[in-house]
Amino acid sequence: MSVRMQVLSVWLICAGLSPAATYYVDYNTGRDAHSGLSADTPFQHAPGDPQAKDTAGSVKLGPGDTVLFKGGTIYRGSIRIPQSGAPGKRIVYKGDGWGTGRAIIDGSDLLTGWKRCETAADANGNTNYQNLFYAYVPASSLPFLMNLHEADPANGNDEFLWMSQTPNPADRTFFNRRDGLHPVKNEFITPESIVSPDVLTWQDPLSLAGASALVWVNPNWTVRKEIREYIPAENKIVFTEPLEKNAIYTDKRDQAFAIYNSPLAIDVPGEYAVTPPDASGQRKVLLWPRNPDGLEQRISRSVRTTGIDAGACSHIEISGFEIRKFGGDGLREGCAILAYGGQDTERTDTVLRNNLIYHNLHGSKGYGGIFAHKLHDSLIESNTVVRNSGHAGIFISACEDSVVRGNTIEYTGNTALRLYTCKRVQVLGNRISHIYATHANGITLYLGCFDVLVANNTVTEATTPLTHQNSGNLYFINNLLDGMNENKNANEWPLSKSGDRTSGKIVYLNNTLVNADSDAALSLGRDNDNEYIVANNILDGMSFVQKCTPKLFLHSHNL
């Protein structure tokens, strides 16, 4: 470097104008001891990955720096962004600026050691044993978080495998839907057990060892309960832990259940079950693969809990990635992108853009393919979030002055787009469809949301396209909400006795609410402190709670 350039560099650094760096990451050919500063000398691991060593592990990112991942490459790791950028100089993690297509951030590793079952005993009594294979995992590997996938040998695409279940659900993403479970008479279910002479017909008391029951309970949830004992003479299963208080409907309606994770329930290709630990401290994984050839290189399981975590950092951009196959059961585990620095940590200027998020899993009620908390002046834009089992699609809480726009959310295991306690947020032009999971909605605004604009969104084929509760100054403008002749299109739920609450205007203007169920498409009138304005909408019927006496109710020029 010339003396002139050295002097210029020193001057720029002293003036706070040091040039931003671009670091290259190639998981296949990179080395952490490289400089990372060119496509010819890439890191293997990105800064912020706990596996990063040498230069990759010690580099300090500065405002304006970019970490560029090679497109088309599978990166098996988990990243927590280590430093903040600065106003006008975000630190950017980018997956589509080098190579072909997007970089793939993958939460899985290959599961190897597969052997074909030779007898029914190898398959734990399953008579389809000729089609089944088995491998072993450590006892610490929880069955419901395996998230097994099988790569298609024709094109390499990963496809869901699913935990065995009887009855087989119509769509495995929505394995917990009530209409896909066995009905059980109210008198045959207690907090401790279920009796079913039609379903529980196995003769061996050990038939359901290690299995669980999926139980549809009040208030419209499906919970998973481990089976402690099976009593063939009584056609009865007994739970390890009882159902929660009030889980049994008091109006005597039928409830529903399924047997889950039983080797005996594996009856179609794509199903698997995981046994309790054996004497050697291992669990057996039994699988009926779609294609039995080359399983050593084609079966993977989730082993990491989070894709990319912005942590407590501000002035960050995450864009252009595929993020898949992360799993977990903790409160914020299984998320592809997490922006959470602590319950009270506020951050600003975070951009999450143009990511493809799919096949991530949560063991029960996941926070989302994308979860963001206490972001200010931020943007979540043009992401595709699809088939994330047990998860919400995009969930933002306590965010302010931010925009969620142009995202596509489909086939989520929970509510597609969820806002809690958000202020001055805009929800614009999102497309949401195929949201069929139990207790899942299209768009939800709860717990004191205030000054929120929801405009130009399309929600179709959702259990309930739109719900709001305990919130005010909500403006719903020019949205299309299709109830598919099965559901209400938009519901204001009764006031909750717990959590944040605010009131104000509730405005529905120029919306199209069609194909409602037998009730009205729009149901309002839960808060006497609200002002309701409903004008220039196309409505498939409307209802208003008669006992509600709000400050204002204006209903004008609707069809």
Side-chain angles (χ1 to χ4, degrees):
M1 179 183 293
S2 69
V3 173
R4 180 177 296 177
M5 289 301 296
Q6 290 176 339
V7 172
L8 178 60
S9 296
V10 171
W11 182 85
L12 288 171
I13 292 170
C14 292
L17 298 174
S18 56
T22 296
Y23 295 97
Y24 292 80
V25 178
D26 183 345
Y27 192 81
N28 291 340
T29 67
R31 298 290 181 269
D32 285 356
H34 285 169
S35 71
L37 292 172
S38 74
D40 295 327
T41 58
F43 295 143
Q44 181 183 30
H45 297 101
D49 189 326
Q51 300 178 87
K53 300 176 181 179
D54 301 322
T55 309
S58 62
V59 67
K60 301 297 183 184
L61 301 178
D65 285 354
T66 297
V67 182
L68 191 58
F69 292 68
K70 187 172 184 179
T73 298
I74 296 175
Y75 183 101
R76 297 191 186 276
S78 184
I79 299 160
R80 184 177 174 88
I81 296 176
Q83 283 94 29
S84 291
K89 295 181 179 181
R90 297 188 193 108
I91 290 176
V92 178
Y93 276 63
K94 188 171 178 59
D96 60 354
W98 171 44
T100 303
R102 304 172 191 258
I104 302 166
I105 309 298
D106 194 303
S108 73
D109 284 341
L110 290 174
L111 176 55
T112 59
W114 292 99
K115 297 180 181 179
R116 184 185 288 273
C117 293
E118 301 292 341
T119 65
D122 288 341
N124 288 50
N126 192 309
T127 57
N128 294 309
Y129 67 87
Q130 300 97 328
N131 299 304
L132 271 56
F133 292 73
Y134 65 93
Y136 289 96
V137 296
S140 58
S141 302
L142 299 181
F144 308 103
L145 305 181
M146 290 285 178
N147 198 20
L148 293 190
H149 283 73
E150 179 178 348
D152 187 329
N155 55 31
N157 291 339
D158 274 310
E159 298 180 353
F160 260 132
L161 300 170
W162 49 83
M163 192 149 276
S164 64
Q165 184 172 333
T166 179
N168 291 320
D171 188 318
R172 298 290 179 159
T173 302
F174 310 118
F175 65 93
N176 61 0
R177 278 180 61 91
R178 180 195 178 190
D179 57 11
L181 309 180
H182 292 297
V184 58
K185 295 290 186 183
N186 187 271
E187 60 264 31
F188 289 156
I189 181 171
T190 73
E192 294 78 24
S193 66
I194 289 176
V195 172
S196 178
D198 296 328
V199 176
L200 302 175
T201 59
W202 295 281
Q203 298 302 309
D204 187 345
L206 299 179
S207 295
L208 299 181
S212 294
L214 301 175
V215 189
W216 181 73
V217 298
N218 180 43
N220 188 30
W221 289 111
T222 299
V223 298
R224 185 182 69 242
K225 289 293 179 181
E226 293 183 4
I227 296 172
R228 175 173 61 82
E229 183 181 10
Y230 170 52
I231 307 172
E234 301 179 35
N235 309 109
K236 183 177 184 178
I237 54 174
V238 181
F239 309 134
T240 301
E241 299 288 341
L243 297 172
E244 303 242 346
K245 183 181 179 180
N246 302 322
I248 309 301
Y249 279 97
T250 57
D251 61 3
K252 303 300 182 182
R253 74 180 73 178
D254 288 354
Q255 297 195 218
F257 80 105
I259 299 299
Y260 195 55
N261 188 40
S262 167
L264 300 181
I266 302 174
D267 58 0
V268 293
E271 281 193 314
Y272 67 94
V274 184
T275 69
D278 60 19
S280 68
Q282 293 185 306
R283 297 181 188 268
K284 180 190 285 185
V285 181
L286 286 160
L287 168 66
W288 187 338
R290 295 185 179 90
N291 185 317
D293 299 329
L295 297 183
E296 296 292 291
Q297 299 299 316
R298 296 197 301 107
I299 306 298
S300 62
R301 69 183 182 100
S302 293
V303 296
R304 288 172 282 275
T305 60
T306 305
I308 303 178
D309 182 2
C313 296
S314 293
H315 309 293
I316 296 295
E317 179 176 333
I318 301 169
S319 63
F321 291 96
E322 289 186 26
I323 309 178
R324 68 186 189 186
K325 295 194 288 184
F326 290 86
D329 206 29
L331 196 61
R332 287 170 288 276
E333 291 183 343
C335 296
I337 298 178
L338 182 63
Y340 179 83
Q343 189 65 27
D344 299 318
T345 302
E346 297 182 353
R347 286 139 303 121
T348 189
D349 186 30
T350 295
V351 175
L352 311 176
R353 175 187 286 138
N354 191 33
N355 298 286
L356 173 59
I357 294 169
Y358 62 101
H359 292 193
N360 301 284
L361 173 141
H362 193 272
S364 54
K365 301 172 186 175
Y367 270 28
I370 296 174
F371 173 63
H373 177 71
K374 287 215 166 182
L375 295 183
H376 292 203
D377 300 297
S378 294
L379 175 65
I380 301 174
E381 177 182 50
S382 300
N383 301 283
T384 298
V385 184
V386 59
R387 289 199 183 275
N388 294 283
S389 184
H391 267 303
I394 297 174
F395 179 14
I396 66 171
S397 68
C399 293
E400 299 183 9
D401 303 297
S402 296
V403 178
V404 181
R405 74 181 176 211
N407 301 283
T408 298
I409 309 173
E410 298 178 340
Y411 294 97
T412 62
N414 211 302
T415 292
L417 180 51
R418 182 189 295 166
L419 284 73
Y420 285 0
T421 322
C422 292
K423 297 178 181 178
R424 300 177 302 280
V425 167
Q426 298 181 32
V427 179
L428 308 174
N430 301 283
R431 300 184 64 85
I432 295 170
S433 67
H434 298 90
I435 312 301
Y436 295 137
T438 298
H439 213 104
N441 305 314
I443 300 174
T444 284
L445 299 91
Y446 291 167
L447 296 174
C449 286
F450 189 77
D451 258 352
V452 178
L453 171 63
V454 180
N456 301 316
N457 301 280
T458 300
V459 184
T460 62
E461 298 189 66
T463 307
T464 300
L466 173 65
T467 62
H468 49 94
Q469 181 186 49
N470 286 29
S471 299
N473 280 16
L474 307 181
Y475 301 88
F476 303 101
I477 300 174
N478 200 35
N479 301 285
L480 171 61
L481 307 176
D482 190 341
M484 307 305 295
N485 296 312
E486 296 180 1
N487 312 293
K488 291 182 176 68
N489 305 69
N491 264 326
E492 181 183 25
W493 294 123
L495 293 174
S496 172
K497 296 179 181 179
S498 61
D500 292 348
R501 177 194 170 190
T502 189
S503 300
K505 291 181 173 65
I506 305 294
V507 178
Y508 279 81
L509 180 66
N510 295 339
N511 300 282
T512 301
L513 280 64
V514 295
N515 297 324
D517 63 6
S518 56
D519 295 324
L522 178 59
S523 178
L524 297 173
R526 302 292 186 175
D527 189 345
N528 290 335
D529 293 326
N530 279 338
E531 298 178 13
Y532 296 93
I533 301 170
V534 182
N536 298 337
N537 302 280
I538 298 174
L539 300 174
D540 191 4
M542 178 177 172
S543 65
F544 195 84
V545 176
Q546 295 300 313
K547 294 181 180 180
C548 182
T549 56
K551 293 180 177 179
L552 172 69
F553 176 55
L554 174 63
H555 179 269
S556 175
H557 295 87
N558 299 288
L559 294 177

